[in-house]
Amino acid sequence: MSRKTVLDLQKMKAGNQKIAMVTAYDATMARLVDTAGVDMVLVGDSLGMVIQGQADTLSVTLTDMIYHGRCVSRGLQQAHLTVDLPFMSYQISPQQALQSSGRLVKEGGAQSVKLEGGERSAPAIEAIVRAGIPVVAHIGLTPQSVHATGGWRVQGRSEAGAQQLMADALAVQRAGAFCVVLEMVPAELAAEITAALEIPTIGIGAGPDLDGQVLVCNDLLGFDSSFKPRFVRRFATLEDTMIDAVKTYVADVKSGLFPADEHTFHSKSRRAKVARLY
Ligand code: KIV
C-alpha cells in the first residue's frame, strides 16, 4: 500500500470528498489512526503540550519534530505525513525555512511540512515549494504567535480581521501551499475562504464547510477530561478506560492475581525445590 500524495489530497477537494486529518506523535498511535483510515497524519508541534506537558508550543525544537516525525513515519502505511516546522525554525529567513524543511523530510520522514502565518510566511513557502517540498499553511489562530495575539481566541471576527484572513489564504495559495489549515475562525468566514480557494482547507474550530477537519488525537480519543474546548468532540473517553485498566492491574499485582500461570515460564527441574520453600 502506498502513502497518499499531495495530488491524491487535491483530487479529494475536486471530487467533494472530505479529508480527515489527525495528529499523532509516535508509531503506535500512527499505526492505529492509519488503520482507521485517516487521510493525513500531522506530527503537530502541539506535542509540546500533549507529550511534553508544556503550557504552549514555543519551546518545541526541530530535533523534537524530527524525532517524532521518524517515529510516526514508521507506523504509517497509507496516510500522508505532514510534520510541523516549530517556532523559530522558519521565521528568520526563507533559507532557514528551507533548511529546516529539508531536515524534516530527510531525517523526519515528512512528505510535507506545515508552517504558521499567511502573507508574512509567503516568502518562506515559496522557497520551500521551489525546492520540491510540499507545504501546508496554517492561518487563523496560530499558536506560535500566542503572545502577540493575546491568547487562544477566535480570529477574523471583525471586518478588518476577516479581510486579512482572506488575504492570508489567497497569499499562501499564491505562494504554492497545497493545503491550508484554518484554526478558530468563524464558520461563515471559513466557508467563504474555502469557496475562494482552489487548494483544500482543513478546519479546526472553523465549522463544517471546509474540505477537511483536523483534531489532536488525544482530544478526539478523550485522554484528558479537564481539556474540552468548544471545537473538540470526544469520540471516546479513553482516559476512563485507561485509568480503570491500570487500577485493575495495580489491584491484581497487590492481591497476587497477576501474573497467573499462563503468564509464567517454568523450570521443571526447579519446581520441586521451590514448592518446598513455600
Ligand atoms: O500542532 C498541531 O497539532 C496543529 C493542529 C492543531 C492543526 O497545528
Side-chain angles (χ1 to χ4, degrees):
M1 198 182 292
S2 60
R3 299 260 198 92
K4 286 199 173 66
T5 65
V6 166
L7 287 182
D8 295 326
L9 297 163
Q10 287 182 320
K11 272 191 213 147
M12 288 178 76
K13 173 160 181 149
N16 278 326
Q17 275 177 276
K18 295 270 189 186
I19 298 170
M21 185 189 212
V22 70
T23 67
Y25 312 105
D26 62 40
T28 300
M29 188 64 80
R31 180 178 60 78
L32 297 176
V33 300
D34 189 82
T35 304
V38 298
D39 302 300
M40 294 177 84
V41 169
L42 171 67
V43 180
D45 62 355
S46 50
L47 68 83
M49 300 160 85
V50 174
I51 302 295
Q52 299 174 340
Q54 312 273 3
D56 54 43
T57 61
L58 301 180
S59 57
V60 175
T61 65
L62 190 59
T63 309
D64 293 334
M65 298 309 299
I66 289 169
Y67 171 78
H68 288 279
R70 212 165 42 227
C71 294
V72 168
S73 172
R74 294 189 193 113
L76 299 183
Q77 301 266 339
Q78 59 80 29
H80 178 93
L81 176 57
T82 303
V83 181
D84 262 349
L85 283 159
F87 182 55
M88 278 300 136
S89 72
Y90 62 95
Q91 286 92 341
I92 293 170
S93 67
Q95 287 72 22
Q96 187 212 21
L98 176 54
Q99 227 154 24
S100 301
S101 302
R103 291 196 64 197
L104 290 182
V105 172
K106 287 176 81 146
E107 301 170 53
Q111 291 171 274
S112 60
V113 300
K114 177 165 84 57
L115 53 71
E116 295 183 6
E119 284 180 328
R120 69 184 158 92
S121 293
I125 296 172
E126 276 169 16
I128 301 166
V129 170
R130 215 179 298 126
I133 301 173
V135 174
V136 177
H138 180 159
I139 62 173
L141 179 83
T142 47
Q144 292 175 16
S145 309
V146 67
H147 294 314
T149 52
W152 310 85
R153 299 218 173 96
V154 176
Q155 304 293 304
R157 279 201 193 278
S158 67
E159 190 45 39
Q163 280 180 16
Q164 181 59 55
L165 265 182
M166 179 61 87
D168 283 335
L170 292 169
V172 298
Q173 173 173 270
R174 218 168 22 247
F178 79 92
C179 178
V180 58
V181 168
L182 303 183
E183 179 164 355
M184 289 184 73
V185 173
E188 297 73 16
L189 175 60
E192 258 180 67
I193 292 175
T194 299
L197 294 187
E198 282 162 28
I199 60 174
T201 57
I202 311 272
I204 175 161
D209 296 322
L210 292 93
D211 301 306
Q213 297 289 329
V214 56
L215 280 179
V216 167
C217 59
N218 294 42
D219 298 343
L220 175 167
L221 294 170
F223 276 21
D224 181 359
S225 54
S226 68
F227 184 69
K228 178 75 178 71
R230 182 184 167 91
F231 58 80
V232 168
R233 183 193 292 174
R234 290 197 196 107
F235 290 82
T237 45
L238 293 195
E239 180 178 48
D240 297 342
T241 309
M242 290 167 84
I243 290 173
D244 285 348
V246 179
K247 271 186 182 165
T248 307
Y249 165 73
V250 171
D252 286 3
V253 167
K254 290 183 185 290
S255 69
L257 278 175
F258 178 82
D261 199 51
E262 70 261 33
H263 313 116
T264 305
F265 306 101
H266 291 292
S267 155
K268 278 189 189 144
S269 61
R270 294 185 175 266
R271 188 174 266 183
K273 201 168 143 195
V274 173
R276 276 201 302 279
L277 293 176
Y278 286 92

